[in-house]
Amino acid sequence: MTITVHHLNNSRSQRILWLLEELSVDYELVSYQRDPQTNLAPPELKQAHPLGKSPIIEDDGRSTSESGAIIEYLCARHGGNSWVPDSGSPEWIDHLEWMQFGESSFFIPVMMKLMAGRLGDAAAPIMPRIEEQLEAHVMFAEEAISEDLHFVGSDWTAADVMMSFPAEIAMMHGFSSRAPKLARFVAAIHDRPAWKRARERSGPYFMW
Amino acid sequence: MTITVHHLNNSRSQRILWLLEELSVDYELVSYQRDPQTNLAPPELKQAHPLGKSPIIEDDGRSTSESGAIIEYLCARHGGNSWVPDSGSPEWIDHLEWMQFGESSFFIPVMMKLMAGRLGDAAAPIMPRIEEQLEAHVMFAEEAISEDLHFVGSDWTAADVMMSFPAEIAMMHGFSSRAPKLARFVAAIHDRPAWKRARERSGPYFMW
């Protein structure tokens, strides 16, 4: 059965398409476009999920939301066992941490900066703290990624899929010279044939 | 070997103490107090984790951060198998979703409201959107929790541990009448002997 992916342009959903291509899983793409004025997801997404969030996948009669849950699910159910370390191994603990960090800790300062940006000068009292937190989170990931550009062990894992979006966000916030490993990580991902196939199907993705 | 928990007062770390008590695991508490002026974590926490975050646990020679990772780790390593559904079961997918939702999706509007609150009237242009998002996330959890007050299946699981903090936050934001199931969920948790033991060791916790 084909998986359906509810995909929002320029969003965290892009990495789900990349993973599906890596796993050679058939999928049908239902595309949504951000509102050009507000940059928010369109209301139609609420038909796929009450919170109007993307990504959502439908498989085997049920919908699943939350990037981390979707990535774990796809690896377990669709031939991605090698993308998740064995339960109980030291790498498995690293994997658990990055699967959470990539959506929880990291996105607090990113979303704060986005919202504060809408307030312009009015956000000045909180901006230094937001900038400091964003930098701290990017540099924490930069310190942690290995010289051979993986977050867990020495090969591609689900943690790298999860962290691809935070790393891309770091590049868009101008961290390429201060976070050179993350910059090379993003370049290595975008050079993968599976990523290119996903990009071809989904259309434009930020600056890439 | 005893587990060390780096615990910040009035924080998401409280649920880790609750879980440790439920699993009857020995732990040593290292307590940190928020700055009374800024409400931020004290700089000492950076000695436990580069980002100065809590909770952190130390076990078997390594530190682990991120609430979701710590909860999964404790269940797998310290006798909490019954707190996590079998891999591959439908409940397991629910579990994956709530383990992510409870720290990623839910906390964006919560943290936004906290930061915007510091700006006072200057935050007026973004406050309606933040309030609407907070309400949507609380009501999504209210709809999802079962009549017998569990997020996954019909008994206590790691998802309930994860969601305890978001449910408490919802109560503190005044949702008790609009989210009566979440209110009863919080009351049921606080009535558990294990939760009371954790509360006794940790000291005051918000209004409880």
Side-chain angles (χ1 to χ4, degrees):
Chain A
M1 193 191 291
T2 301
I3 293 175
T4 300
V5 186
H6 295 271
H7 172 74
L8 178 65
N9 71 311
N10 287 346
S11 83
R12 54 199 78 203
S13 168
Q14 193 76 22
R15 67 192 149 181
I16 304 299
L17 308 185
W18 169 39
L19 180 60
L20 285 161
E21 293 284 352
E22 291 281 3
L23 303 182
S24 300
V25 174
D26 283 338
Y27 61 98
E28 186 194 334
L29 204 57
V30 183
S31 291
Y32 303 81
Q33 297 295 313
R34 292 180 183 276
D35 182 300
Q37 302 296 316
T38 64
N39 209 33
L40 297 176
E44 299 90 85
L45 245 178
K46 289 196 177 154
Q47 288 162 27
H49 186 279
L51 293 172
K53 285 177 187 296
S54 160
I56 304 287
I57 65 162
E58 288 174 48
D59 186 29
D60 204 14
R62 72 161 278 167
S63 292
T64 303
S65 61
E66 300 290 333
S67 295
I70 293 169
I71 293 169
E72 293 264 18
Y73 171 86
L74 291 175
C75 288
R77 283 283 178 89
H78 292 282
N81 282 340
S82 70
W83 290 70
V84 177
D86 289 343
S87 176
S89 64
E91 290 77 18
W92 168 77
I93 311 176
D94 293 339
H95 160 80
L96 292 177
E97 286 187 291
W98 291 110
M99 290 303 288
Q100 286 282 335
F101 178 87
E103 276 293 316
S104 55
S105 294
F106 186 83
F107 271 96
I108 300 293
V110 170
M111 297 302 287
M112 295 272 186
K113 188 165 174 183
L114 195 65
M115 287 299 259
R118 293 193 191 140
L119 294 174
D121 293 345
I126 57 172
M127 221 41 171
R129 166 91 184 150
I130 292 172
E131 294 282 10
E132 175 226 305
Q133 284 290 301
L134 179 60
E135 163 122 12
H137 283 74
V138 171
M139 296 316 289
F140 179 73
E142 172 72 9
E143 289 288 317
I145 193 171
S146 68
E147 285 298 330
D148 61 352
L149 308 177
H150 294 299
F151 279 96
V152 174
S154 56
D155 204 349
W156 295 98
T157 68
D160 297 321
V161 177
M162 172 57 91
M163 288 298 296
S164 63
F165 188 61
E168 289 166 341
I169 293 281
M171 296 306 106
M172 288 183 267
H173 281 282
F175 281 96
S176 60
S177 59
R178 272 173 298 163
K181 284 189 290 177
L182 291 183
R184 289 193 286 123
F185 174 67
V186 170
I189 289 168
H190 293 183
D191 201 38
R192 288 182 73 80
W195 195 87
K196 290 176 182 168
R197 288 195 300 273
R199 167 68 180 70
E200 206 160 291
R201 280 191 66 171
S202 66
Y205 177 58
F206 291 112
M207 56 181 158
W208 294 288
Chain B
M1 193 191 292
T2 301
I3 292 175
T4 301
V5 186
H6 294 270
H7 172 73
L8 178 65
N9 71 309
N10 287 346
S11 82
R12 55 199 77 202
S13 168
Q14 193 75 22
R15 67 191 149 182
I16 304 299
L17 307 185
W18 169 38
L19 180 61
L20 285 162
E21 293 284 352
E22 291 282 2
L23 302 183
S24 299
V25 174
D26 284 337
Y27 60 98
E28 186 194 335
L29 204 57
V30 183
S31 291
Y32 303 81
Q33 298 295 312
R34 291 179 183 278
D35 182 301
Q37 302 296 316
T38 64
N39 210 34
L40 296 177
E44 300 89 84
L45 246 177
K46 289 196 177 154
Q47 286 161 29
H49 187 280
L51 293 172
K53 286 177 186 295
S54 160
I56 304 286
I57 65 163
E58 288 174 48
D59 186 28
D60 206 13
R62 74 161 276 170
S63 292
T64 303
S65 61
E66 301 290 332
S67 294
I70 293 170
I71 293 169
E72 294 263 19
Y73 171 87
L74 290 175
C75 288
R77 282 283 178 90
H78 292 282
N81 282 339
S82 70
W83 290 71
V84 176
D86 289 341
S87 175
S89 65
E91 291 77 19
W92 168 77
I93 311 175
D94 293 338
H95 160 78
L96 292 177
E97 285 187 291
W98 291 109
M99 291 302 288
Q100 287 283 333
F101 178 87
E103 277 293 316
S104 53
S105 294
F106 185 84
F107 271 96
I108 301 294
V110 170
M111 298 301 288
M112 294 271 188
K113 188 165 174 183
L114 195 65
M115 286 300 258
R118 293 195 191 139
L119 293 175
D121 293 344
I126 57 173
M127 219 43 169
R129 166 90 183 152
I130 292 172
E131 294 282 9
E132 174 226 304
Q133 283 290 302
L134 180 60
E135 164 122 11
H137 283 74
V138 170
M139 296 316 290
F140 179 74
E142 172 72 8
E143 291 288 318
I145 193 171
S146 68
E147 285 299 330
D148 60 353
L149 309 177
H150 293 299
F151 279 95
V152 174
S154 57
D155 204 349
W156 295 97
T157 67
D160 297 322
V161 177
M162 172 57 93
M163 288 299 296
S164 63
F165 188 60
E168 289 166 340
I169 294 281
M171 295 307 105
M172 288 182 267
H173 281 281
F175 282 96
S176 60
S177 59
R178 273 174 297 162
K181 284 189 289 176
L182 291 184
R184 289 194 287 124
F185 174 66
V186 169
I189 289 168
H190 293 182
D191 201 38
R192 288 182 73 80
W195 195 87
K196 289 176 182 170
R197 288 195 300 273
R199 167 67 179 71
E200 207 161 292
R201 280 191 66 173
S202 66
Y205 177 58
F206 291 112
M207 56 184 156
W208 295 288

